[in-house]
Amino acid sequence: PPPPCDFVCRASCCYPHPCHTGVVVLNIPSWGAGADPWGAADEESCKPSLADGLVEVVAIQGALHASQIKLGLARGVRLGQFSRVEFQLLSRIACQVDGEPWTQDPGTITITRKDQQAILLRRPRAAASQAATTASRD
């Protein structure tokens, strides 16, 4: 069985507070072309890290609030940093992942963080110079 959730959202609109119009789950420190909805670390919360195994969950209070976040004038409403997030949808809701929108039927969405994968690898200098030497001999 999966581990218990750190954060579970149960509602017809899936927002923790009536004034929140969106929930953002981040596994990187930026969102929406470079905006930082988490904001700077303070005494109440840790700075987001790619290596901590946690995702950050923030609420957005509308288009104006999202614009203020993009301009650096505001931050999202911090809901917390979690290893597992679950949304139990009681009605259809608009969703978006990496810019791809869809309408999600009622059900459960579970978000967990997987191990990081190396995307770009660089050969050690010794191996690179040996490969160049071998290529020049041919």
Side-chain angles (χ1 to χ4, degrees), residues 8-9 11 14 17 32 51 56-57 76 96 107 111 114 117-118 130 135:
V8 178
C9 184
C14 202
H17 189 276
E56 287 69 40
V57 181
Q96 181 175 323
I111 300 171
K114 298 290 184 186
Q117 299 296 317
Q130 183 180 10

Side-chain angles (χ1 to χ4, degrees), residues 3 11 19-20 25 35 37 40 43 52-53 68 72 77 90 99-100 114 131:
C19 69
H20 299 156
V25 179
E43 59 278 351
D52 62 6
Q68 290 170 333
V77 178
L90 305 178
E100 296 297 326
K114 298 290 184 186

Side-chain angles (χ1 to χ4, degrees), residues 24-84:
V24 179
V25 179
L26 300 163
N27 66 342
I28 58 174
S30 65
W31 163 75
D36 181 10
W38 187 260
D42 57 23
E43 59 278 351
E44 296 176 8
S45 63
C46 298
K47 181 178 178 184
S49 169
L50 296 175
D52 62 6
L54 302 174
V55 294
E56 287 69 40
V57 181
V58 296
I60 304 297
Q61 298 175 340
L64 176 62
H65 187 214
S67 299
Q68 290 170 333
I69 292 169
K70 177 65 177 163
L71 294 171
L73 301 174
R75 69 172 194 214
V77 178
R78 294 177 180 166
L79 301 179
Q81 294 174 295
F82 308 102
S83 59
R84 188 167 183 268

